[in-house]
């Protein structure tokens, strides 16, 4: 949805993506998002340009997370770079 939104903004230049997404995230779409030469191509199919795979989504129900960035479990306390990767 963000990709479709920013596609219409003439002053928009960079859209960040999470590198640490769960491994099943790509399977949530019947067709993947395409990146060519470092640029994410904007789908031209109807709607947001993707079709959700509801079977995969059902296997990963929503789990609420505490997003308190000051807690010990915060995403900010995790290493950004893991040695050896």
């Amino acid at each position: 949805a963000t990709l479709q939104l920013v596609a219409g903004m003439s002053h928009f230049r960079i859209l960040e993506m999470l590198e640490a997404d769960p491994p099943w995230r790509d399977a949530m779409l019947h067709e993947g998002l395409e990146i060519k030469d470092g640029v994410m191509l904007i789908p031209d199919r109807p709607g947001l340009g993707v079709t959700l795979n509801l079977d995969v989504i059902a296997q990963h129900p929503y789990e609420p997370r505490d997003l308190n960035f000051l807690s010990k479990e915060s995403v900010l306390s995790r290493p950004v770079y893991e040695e050896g990767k």
Side-chain angles (χ1 to χ4, degrees):
T2 305
L3 178 62
Q4 293 290 358
L5 175 67
V6 301
M9 297 180 178
S10 61
H11 62 281
F12 193 90
R13 294 288 175 250
I14 297 173
L15 175 62
E16 294 181 356
M17 295 175 53
L18 291 175
E19 182 66 28
D21 276 354
W24 45 264
R25 180 162 180 144
D26 288 340
M28 290 184 357
L29 302 177
H30 283 291
E31 60 285 299
L33 294 174
E34 189 176 351
I35 298 175
K36 183 176 181 181
D37 297 327
V39 176
M40 187 180 300
L41 303 180
I42 301 165
D44 60 359
R45 294 174 295 277
L48 295 177
V50 296
T51 308
L52 298 176
N53 185 336
L54 299 179
D55 293 331
V56 172
I57 292 172
Q59 295 170 14
H60 305 281
Y62 170 73
E63 295 178 22
R65 307 274 170 130
D66 181 8
L67 297 179
N68 178 354
F69 292 127
L70 302 177
S71 74
K72 288 183 179 182
E73 294 79 29
S74 166
V75 294
L76 296 179
S77 65
R78 297 182 203 150
V80 175
Y81 173 78
E82 293 183 31
E83 198 68 38
K85 284 192 172 186

